Amino acid sequence: MLKTKLISQMTKTETSIMLRLTLLLFISVSLSLVDREARAESPNIIVIMADDLGYGDVSCYGATALSTPHIDRLAQEGLRFTSGYCSASTCTPTRYSFLTGTYAFRGKRTGIAPPNAPAIIKPGTETIASILKRAGYATAVIGKWHLGLGDESGPDWNGQLKPGPLEIGFDTCFLLPTTNDRVPQVYVKDHRVLNLDPADPLWVGNKKPSPDHPTGLTHRETLKMDWSHGHNSTIHNGISRIGFYTGGHSARFRDEDLADKWVEKSVEFIEQNKNHPFFLFFASHDIHVPRMPHERFQGKTSLGFRGDSIIQLDWCVGELMQTLDRLQLAENTLIVFCSDNGPVLDDGYKDGAIEKIGSHRAAGTFSGGKYSVYEGGTRTPFITRWKNRIKPGVSQELVCTIDLPASLAALTDQELPGESCRDSLNLLGALLGEANSRGRAELVQQNNGNNGTYAIRAGNWKLHRYDKKTARNVVVEQELENTIVPQFQLFDLEKDPAEKTDVAVQFPEVTERLQRRLDEIIKQGGSRPGIQPVDQKH
Ligand code: NG6
Ligand code: CA
């Protein structure tokens, strides 16, 4: 009675204040609920990206010439995808798309980056790291970068190396700046070359710095691993590389120690963040050339250093899993295992990969490999594991590394700003193997950068588009060949997974439909539902 009377006696302003207070209370209670819910869905996340690893290169995907027990265990305890893809068949564009959630053909200079490339992903771009950082994660990239460092004038090797990963969402980084067949062989920690002595500055360039500078051409007989094409410039650790450099001797590493270093730094990062959600992008350099695994792995397989590097990669995966087990984090950590492009045997060094291949099929039953839009170029091992959350099994859903930004944004309850992650789809359900959750209906594949060759897979149809009319992408006796090809080819992946029989003439309406759809996806500037249109000029 009294209460009613009191309320009825309140002025209009008082009532409004009361209502506002109630609303505020309601909002803060709901926010704390959401917070708790979000925390419940904030597993640690480790993306292990192998380099140049093919669909058929690990035993859980059918390899019999070698055994990869740790990767196999990951698959046994998780979900092994048979249609898991990266978005391009070379490194830089796949890494660009994985981080930004945008097809690399939409970006500038997204092709294979040279040693002195400036940062390709501009500060302020939404990335998988910035999304997870916003969600409260500690974020790190450890391993190969190959996405450029520094402003438009390129990396300042003796000064501050920025912008770089730290300007697009990573709290910390420990990097091989490009790819190890390119100069220089130094680590970059956050904004600096590690252990650089200012008295011995590092110089990196495209031209021979002096007439007597030893190279793979002038001192070929001194090399511990000979080159087969390119890779004949500056020599370090008995291996000649792409590009030239001098100085920075105290900062240089040995190729044989790279994998150990990635594991050491990763274990440190995991230990530091064991009580806090973390995101680790473990960017292995295995099994890219020059393949120079640690001495303890050399000779472990019959496949030469290419096979031995797979064993080294497998060891790294085992160390990461063991660290999670030791810290009791396995049930609170989502691991995604993938590759940046398909396999290649001779990629510039005479390491015996072709001679020792025997019956091993690096791309499994698929055709093509690195540099190609055949399935072998982009369909790779792809495994997700989250103990006691993901039901172990095999999934045929179509998923791609480009979908990780939107899917992990969904997992951690983050909104994607309108123009960001233009081609990333939320496939969280499919990645976690939830019942009735579907993967992609269609995926665009490309070979390199923004002037390349495209393909589109829609269901079981696959259309290739060769604007240049030639393709350096057919693996014949495991060697790359330039061939003249029709501009469009159509394959039925269900009947012909090796893409041997072009059926474009038999199915003109499918060919035309996919041509139009591919054109539309390229022109419309984004394929994520709800994406805001962009002005193509910017
Ligand atoms: C090519 C290199 C190749 C490799 C590739 C990049 C030559 C002849 N070939 O230009 O060896 O470095 O670039 O590989 O130099 S990727 O996996 O990082 O994309
Ligand atoms: Ca690669």
Side-chain angles (χ1 to χ4, degrees), residues 51-52 89-93 112 144 146 179 181-182 229-231 242 288-289 340-341 347-349 370-371 472:
D51 198 347
D52 298 3
S89 58
T90 46
C91 163
T92 304
I112 299 171
K144 166 170 165 173
H146 210 187
T179 186
D181 59 348
R182 271 143 235 258
H229 54 262
H231 306 92
I242 299 175
H288 198 284
V289 297
D340 72 337
N341 52 253
D347 207 14
Y349 292 97
K370 186 172 180 176
Y371 311 111
R472 184 184 168 237

Side-chain angles (χ1 to χ4, degrees), residues 436-455:
N436 305 320
S437 292
R438 302 303 310 270
R440 282 177 163 264
E442 58 184 15
L443 174 72
V444 175
Q445 291 143 268
Q446 63 171 127
N447 62 347
N448 190 19
N450 50 6
N451 64 349
T453 295
Y454 300 98

Side-chain angles (χ1 to χ4, degrees), residues 172-295:
T172 183
C173 67
F174 195 96
L175 308 174
L176 164 69
T178 57
T179 186
N180 203 25
D181 59 348
R182 271 143 235 258
V183 296
Q185 277 53 62
V186 296
Y187 295 118
V188 169
K189 184 175 188 302
D190 297 336
H191 284 142
R192 294 220 168 246
V193 170
L194 188 70
N195 297 331
L196 188 65
D197 174 3
D200 180 29
L202 179 61
W203 171 87
V204 177
N206 301 327
K207 293 209 179 91
K208 198 165 160 159
S210 61
D212 60 350
H213 181 81
T215 67
L217 288 170
T218 61
H219 289 65
R220 197 165 182 176
E221 70 293 345
T222 68
L223 300 175
K224 73 175 173 195
M225 188 164 63
D226 198 7
W227 51 272
S228 57
H229 54 262
H231 306 92
N232 53 21
S233 302
T234 293
I235 301 171
H236 169 68
N237 192 26
I239 301 168
S240 50
R241 324 266 168 164
I242 299 175
F244 299 92
Y245 73 121
T246 58
H249 288 89
S250 57
R252 298 188 187 192
F253 57 66
R254 252 174 29 115
D255 306 66
E256 291 86 340
D257 299 326
L258 280 180
D260 282 346
K261 189 53 89 179
W262 307 145
V263 167
E264 176 198 318
K265 291 291 151 194
S266 299
V267 171
E268 254 174 53
F269 175 74
I270 296 172
E271 279 173 350
Q272 278 158 13
N273 291 287
K274 62 177 196 278
N275 297 321
H276 183 87
F278 64 80
F279 165 57
L280 169 64
F281 173 24
F282 183 88
S284 168
H285 190 258
D286 291 318
I287 55 172
H288 198 284
V289 297
R291 301 173 186 124
M292 188 50 67
H294 192 271
E295 286 82 351

